[in-house]
Amino acid sequence: MINNKLVCGLDITPQGPFFTVLRSSIWRSPIEKKEWPSFIDWQPLIENFRNQEMLPLVSYTLLSLPQGYALSKEQRHDVLGAVAANIQLFEQVREVYTEVFDFLEGGGVKPILVKGCELANRYPEPCLRAVGDIDFFLFEEDARKGVKILTSNGVDYHGDTGRHHKFSFKGIEIELHHHLICANKDFREGINLKTEMFITNPLKDDYPHKQMLEKISLEARVLPKMSELIYNLAHLSKHLQKGIGLRQFVDMAIIIHDFSDDIDNETFQSIINISGLRRVWSLVAWFLDEYLGLELKTLTYKKPSVRRQRLLVSSIIKNGNFGQYGKGKNLSLFLLFPRYTSIKAINQFVTTLAGNLISVLNKNKI
């Protein structure tokens, strides 16, 4: 357990108000305030939860604080405003999803919903999970068909990023992924993930059927359990390399809570070793266990060093959602993954040096 330490004005111990409020919100459990000080300034917590795009999720807990710790009138209005805005956006995303799903289905392709609404369906209150865009997966040939189907129905096409086709419709971004996270050719921040075959190969033998996502009342196809677990861990890993906040860790906690009884630990450990996710898993699993109150029943992990524990927690608090608010991301990455990032740093230096030499030679020719 990390000793008491303030980061961004917050007590980052598991027993501090910040993580106590978060755990209570995730699991709908009573607040445990045994180690809280007699007075708490809630504003830094509210601002960090906002930057993490977690303010709607923790709203019920913040608005139900025990006597002596209640928010001010202005803070209550602020929290309620964030909830209202998120619910409005959530409903807009649901409406656009329904139209786009019908376009694709009507055109003869069968999209699989990933991230976003699919994850929200697992939350205690789906409309309190922050959503923004809509992500589907289709194999490459179907994805090309999907482009024609959507453009013919008035959906704006913005091109192929190499991993997904990007669109917008009625103010909402839509992505048709034809690769999920990392194919073998990918090389992100020096960490070479080889996850795609473990995510998509099962789909070739047993493509998912449509089902009703009951909490959000939407029809969808979703990934098999092991595929979804590996995909979301790989997605978290990708963003961890550039700076990441709490939301993806909460997603992982809820997924594992739903799946752990049905996932064979030996198979899972084999996949994370082969795919390059072992180090990331040890950090993620420790954080979920120690800070988010997830009791890992079947999946095991190797506890990271205290130094890496501190780096991870402080980085999460500083970075905010997808690293938008963080600074010094490259330093954090280097310290968390020194073997990988030192190789990346050397490669960057060599590339820069070669580029400078070419420029000098070109100038001399002129």
Side-chain angles (χ1 to χ4, degrees):
M1 185 184 299
I2 298 174
N3 294 328
N4 187 33
K5 183 180 178 182
L6 292 178
V7 174
C8 299
L10 302 177
D11 175 356
I12 64 166
T13 59
Q15 297 77 22
F18 186 84
F19 282 106
T20 302
V21 165
L22 182 58
R23 283 193 303 275
S24 175
S25 302
I26 298 169
W27 309 120
R28 288 295 190 262
S29 58
I31 281 190
E32 300 173 5
K33 56 182 180 64
K34 288 182 288 188
E35 298 186 26
W36 284 14
S38 58
F39 171 78
I40 296 172
D41 180 4
W42 291 105
Q43 199 57 39
L45 283 83
I46 290 172
E47 291 307 318
N48 201 281
F49 280 130
R50 190 197 316 279
N51 291 344
Q52 304 276 357
E53 294 193 12
M54 300 290 290
L55 191 52
L57 177 66
V58 300
S59 60
Y60 179 81
T61 307
L62 288 176
L63 295 171
S64 308
L65 288 166
Q67 190 173 5
Y69 291 101
L71 302 183
S72 69
K73 181 180 178 181
E74 292 76 14
Q75 288 171 333
R76 290 174 67 85
H77 286 171
D78 187 12
V79 172
L80 287 168
V83 172
N86 197 73
I87 291 174
Q88 185 176 18
L89 177 59
F90 188 86
E91 289 303 315
Q92 186 181 356
V93 169
R94 284 181 75 257
E95 290 174 11
V96 170
Y97 166 85
T98 300
E99 289 192 62
V100 172
F101 181 79
D102 288 345
F103 291 155
L104 294 170
E105 289 276 312
V109 298
K110 300 177 179 180
I112 297 173
L113 177 64
V114 294
K115 299 188 292 185
C117 289
E118 195 280 330
L119 291 170
N121 189 63
R122 302 185 182 283
Y123 275 61
E125 295 292 340
C127 62
L128 298 185
R129 183 194 183 272
V131 294
D133 58 1
I134 300 168
D135 298 89
F136 292 108
F137 171 74
L138 289 163
F139 286 106
E140 286 190 79
E141 184 178 344
D142 283 339
R144 287 192 290 270
K145 292 178 184 176
V147 172
K148 294 178 181 178
I149 293 166
L150 293 186
T151 52
S152 68
N153 281 280
V155 181
D156 294 326
Y157 182 51
H158 303 295
D160 185 356
T161 68
R163 212 178 262 111
H164 60 259
H165 298 284
K166 191 170 184 177
F167 304 82
S168 61
F169 188 56
K170 298 184 177 180
I172 301 298
E173 289 188 1
I174 300 120
E175 295 178 355
L176 291 188
H177 295 258
H178 45 85
H179 289 294
L180 283 179
I181 297 297
C182 297
N184 290 334
K185 63 183 179 181
D186 291 329
F187 192 75
R188 285 184 170 270
E189 300 290 342
I191 302 177
N192 190 15
L193 296 178
K194 301 173 183 176
T195 57
E196 188 155 32
M197 63 179 176
F198 298 108
I199 301 167
T200 59
N201 280 2
L203 306 178
K204 295 172 182 177
D205 298 325
D206 187 16
Y207 203 81
H209 299 288
K210 277 192 299 187
Q211 61 178 277
M212 178 61 71
L213 303 183
E214 296 293 343
K215 287 186 180 180
I216 57 176
S217 300
L218 289 178
E219 275 194 319
R221 291 177 180 80
V222 299
L223 293 170
K225 290 183 177 180
M226 182 67 85
S227 294
E228 184 173 352
L229 180 58
I230 296 300
Y231 171 54
N232 280 279
L233 181 59
H235 183 247
L236 188 155
S237 174
K238 182 187 80 170
H239 288 289
L240 180 62
Q241 296 161 34
K242 292 187 174 181
I244 191 173
L246 282 166
R247 192 174 57 158
Q248 288 68 38
F249 289 91
V250 175
D251 288 344
M252 282 299 302
I254 289 174
I255 290 168
I256 293 171
H257 180 264
D258 284 356
F259 291 174
S260 60
D261 289 340
D262 301 320
I263 298 294
D264 177 67
N265 182 61
E266 186 176 343
T267 302
F268 176 73
Q269 294 295 333
S270 176
I271 290 173
I272 63 173
N273 284 333
I274 296 169
S275 64
L277 287 168
R278 181 176 56 84
R279 290 181 178 225
V280 173
W281 168 246
S282 70
L283 285 166
V284 171
W286 167 81
F287 182 77
L288 303 185
D289 192 359
E290 187 77 17
Y291 275 80
L292 299 191
L294 176 67
E295 297 179 1
L296 291 170
K297 299 174 184 177
T298 56
L299 301 181
T300 59
Y301 67 95
K302 182 179 179 181
K303 193 171 183 177
S305 67
V306 172
R307 180 168 173 261
R308 287 189 178 179
Q309 293 174 18
R310 287 175 175 151
L311 282 166
L312 178 68
V313 178
S314 61
S315 176
I316 290 170
I317 295 297
K318 289 177 181 178
N319 281 327
N321 190 48
F322 287 124
Q324 294 179 63
Y325 304 94
K327 296 179 180 178
K329 304 181 190 69
N330 291 335
L331 176 61
S332 297
L333 174 63
F334 180 83
L335 294 172
L336 282 170
F337 305 104
R339 181 163 62 90
Y340 296 119
T341 47
S342 59
I343 294 171
K344 176 177 179 283
I346 292 168
N347 288 341
Q348 285 182 333
F349 174 77
V350 171
T351 301
T352 303
L353 181 61
N356 290 339
L357 286 171
I358 291 170
S359 297
V360 170
L361 290 171
N362 288 338
K363 284 180 181 178
N364 288 338
K365 286 180 182 179
I366 293 171

